[in-house]
Amino acid sequence: MNISRTQRGRTAAAAVSLTAVLALTATACGDDGSGSGTEGSGKGEITFWDNNGGPRTAIWTEIIKDFEKQNPDIKVKYVPIPIADVQSKYDTAIAGGGLPDVGGVGTAYLANIVSQEALEPVNERLEGSALQGKLVESMVESVRAAAGRGDDIYSVPTSANNGVLWYRTDLFDAAGLEAPDTWAKFYTAADKLTDARNNKFGYTIRGGAGSIAQALDAIYGQSGITEFWSGDKTTLNDPKNVAALEKYAGLFKKTTPAADVNNDFTKMVAQWDTGTIGMLSHNLGSYQDHLKALGEEKFAGIPAPIGDGGTRVQVSNPVDGLGLFRSSRNKTAAWKFIEFAASHASNSKWNESAGAIPANTEAAKDPWINETESTALAAKALTDGSTKIVDLPYYLPDWNNISKADNEPEFQKVLLGKITAKAFLDDMAEELNAANKEWKEIGNG
């Protein structure tokens, strides 16, 4: 019997709900206490999972060293988790034990962890703490909404990223092209900078892991639709979005390399940095890679292009944060670490290294923000009201599965011409509508 992706989505959502119920039942029956944890002495060792281990290991090592110097009675065991493995690592630890005291948690998978009752609300800890009134309100609202638990907050926001259209200023100048700040200019440049016979392409499209978020940015950016839901139905498969995806996917192998169908961000960024490709859609996090490979004179980055209606529209980017795990046996020490990491000095240091936008309001005013044009433009776009944000439904426990495992392979089929853009968006919309309906039926929304 063939099981549809929609049915799998419903089954996954039901499984998550069942896991949560069983976890609560076990706690209520009085297990060994591993589920509820304790406040602890505020001393000793705590374990921290970095949700982007590797790229961010050096800066976290520095922050941990600073923390331990200020708190000599606390030692932090650092565990780097590759970003691609984060959700599965948390799911495995929730099922079998071994969760950290503190962990990096992005809003894209926050609801999945919250639905399994693994994280502790931090509302009361924030009130009266050194962080009260010192966090960017929009980021606090993002993590609150993503959890899907009313007013409860399950993560202390630390940073926000933003989509960036990186372009080779040297190639644009040589071709007499203007910056691709509108979608019309983007498509003109993609075509004019392509010389496939000499391995020169106007754009590199993301076809591998992480492709859906980039595609959604291009879809909504072109269509100008500013809401993800219209009543109980998603706008994803609106005819305007279908037309936008047809045009965007039509770039594949015409103005992009054929290898793009399998490229994740690592391969895509490396390809752009070493080749003669005109444009790349990624985010602020790859700035240092471009700077090292190309030098600051050969590239620039701007927010998403402006649509035909004169407005910039982009989908919401996940907000990264730190979660306090319910099973921690030393929540007092764990919270001290979260407070320190989200403080002005540490938050500024981390975000400057990552090229991201700080969640700490004092860090967000530091001079380095304006020293890098791409970061300054991104921060401005998100705060001056010029950009319309389409809020993605991170609160759906199955959002990550729908937007990754279920549909990344399907998007590759769109690029290869095996299915139509309309069929792809219709199927994904059906999954999302079912997941949203189920989420509301269990008492949310």
Side-chain angles (χ1 to χ4, degrees):
M1 178 179 68
N2 292 325
I3 300 176
S4 71
R5 288 185 298 127
T6 301
Q7 288 174 305
R8 291 204 307 272
R10 288 176 176 173
T11 301
V16 167
S17 299
L18 179 59
T19 301
V21 170
L22 290 175
L24 286 172
T25 302
T27 303
C29 291
D31 61 6
D32 63 0
S34 61
S36 58
T38 62
E39 288 299 314
S41 65
K43 301 178 181 180
E45 184 178 83
I46 58 171
T47 299
F48 165 56
W49 282 11
D50 174 8
N51 59 341
N52 195 4
R56 305 292 172 245
T57 294
I59 187 60
W60 273 121
T61 300
E62 185 177 340
I63 290 171
I64 289 169
K65 183 178 179 181
D66 291 343
F67 173 76
E68 291 179 339
K69 184 177 181 180
Q70 187 170 313
N71 298 272
D73 293 329
I74 304 174
K75 298 299 177 185
V76 180
K77 180 181 179 182
Y78 171 79
V79 181
I81 308 293
I83 193 169
D85 300 335
V86 172
Q87 183 169 334
S88 63
K89 289 286 187 182
Y90 279 135
D91 286 342
T92 300
I94 290 168
L99 282 167
D101 300 278
V102 179
V105 181
T107 50
Y109 49 90
L110 177 63
N112 174 65
I113 300 176
V114 170
S115 70
Q116 298 179 76
E117 307 299 333
L119 287 170
E120 180 157 308
V122 295
N123 305 53
E124 293 184 5
R125 295 179 193 269
L126 280 170
E127 294 175 6
S129 77
L131 297 176
Q132 186 174 15
K134 297 293 180 65
L135 298 173
V136 175
E137 188 57 37
S138 62
M139 295 192 201
V140 175
E141 174 57 23
S142 289
V143 297
R144 186 203 63 76
R149 290 289 183 88
D151 292 331
D152 282 342
I153 300 170
Y154 287 85
S155 171
V156 174
T158 54
S159 68
N161 214 323
N162 198 57
V164 177
L165 179 60
W166 300 104
Y167 67 101
R168 290 283 300 270
T169 51
D170 56 339
L171 301 182
F172 270 69
D173 289 344
L177 291 166
E178 296 180 15
D181 55 6
T182 68
W183 282 103
K185 292 178 183 178
F186 166 82
Y187 281 107
T188 296
D191 183 64
K192 191 167 183 178
L193 293 174
T194 297
D195 181 2
R197 291 181 180 178
N198 291 304
N199 201 35
K200 297 178 181 179
F201 297 94
Y203 185 59
T204 174
I205 197 169
R206 189 167 183 170
S211 61
I212 300 300
Q214 181 177 307
L216 293 181
D217 236 354
I219 291 169
Y220 281 94
Q222 293 175 82
S223 72
I225 295 171
T226 58
E227 299 291 339
F228 193 80
W229 299 104
S230 178
D232 291 332
K233 303 294 183 182
T234 179
T235 60
L236 182 62
N237 57 338
D238 183 282
K240 291 181 180 179
N241 281 339
V242 173
L245 180 56
E246 288 172 345
K247 188 172 185 179
Y248 181 71
L251 294 174
F252 177 63
K253 288 206 322 186
K254 181 182 177 184
T255 62
T256 79
D260 280 356
V261 71
N262 293 312
N263 282 353
D264 59 10
F265 89 91
T266 303
K267 294 176 183 175
M268 190 175 61
V269 167
Q271 178 178 261
W272 192 73
D273 284 346
T274 59
T276 53
I277 298 173
M279 296 177 290
L280 159 75
S281 295
H282 189 230
N283 57 48
L284 294 168
S286 57
Y287 171 77
Q288 293 294 337
D289 293 322
H290 309 324
L291 184 63
K292 182 178 179 180
L294 302 171
E296 61 182 353
E297 300 300 322
K298 290 186 178 181
F299 77 100
I302 57 176
I306 296 170
D308 292 341
T311 302
R312 176 181 289 113
V313 178
Q314 65 180 59
V315 299
S316 55
N317 277 265
V319 172
D320 208 18
L322 296 172
L324 175 64
F325 281 84
R326 197 184 294 269
S327 58
S328 171
R329 298 302 182 93
N330 200 347
K331 294 176 185 177
T332 301
W335 178 251
K336 284 182 181 178
F337 178 68
I338 291 175
E339 276 190 303
F340 184 87
S343 67
H344 178 184
S346 298
N347 194 238
S348 185
K349 184 181 292 187
W350 190 96
N351 280 280
E352 183 176 11
S353 172
I357 301 170
N360 186 288
T361 54
E362 294 173 327
K365 297 175 183 176
D366 283 349
W368 67 263
I369 295 287
N370 293 315
E371 290 174 1
T372 304
E373 183 184 29
S374 53
T375 304
L377 288 173
K380 185 174 183 293
L382 292 179
T383 58
D384 69 358
S386 65
T387 301
K388 301 294 183 183
I389 304 295
V390 179
D391 290 316
L392 298 180
Y394 298 127
Y395 57 83
L396 295 177
D398 204 35
W399 165 252
N400 230 30
N401 288 327
I402 292 172
S403 63
K404 291 184 178 293
D406 280 0
N407 285 293
E408 286 179 348
E410 299 303 303
F411 180 69
Q412 289 180 319
K413 293 178 184 178
V414 175
L415 295 180
L416 295 170
K418 294 182 178 180
I419 61 174
T420 66
K422 184 178 187 303
F424 168 74
L425 292 178
D426 281 345
D427 285 351
M428 188 171 173
E430 184 180 356
E431 281 194 274
L432 287 163
N433 292 337
N436 192 51
K437 180 182 179 182
E438 187 136 18
W439 182 75
K440 288 186 174 183
E441 286 176 346
I442 60 175
N444 300 297

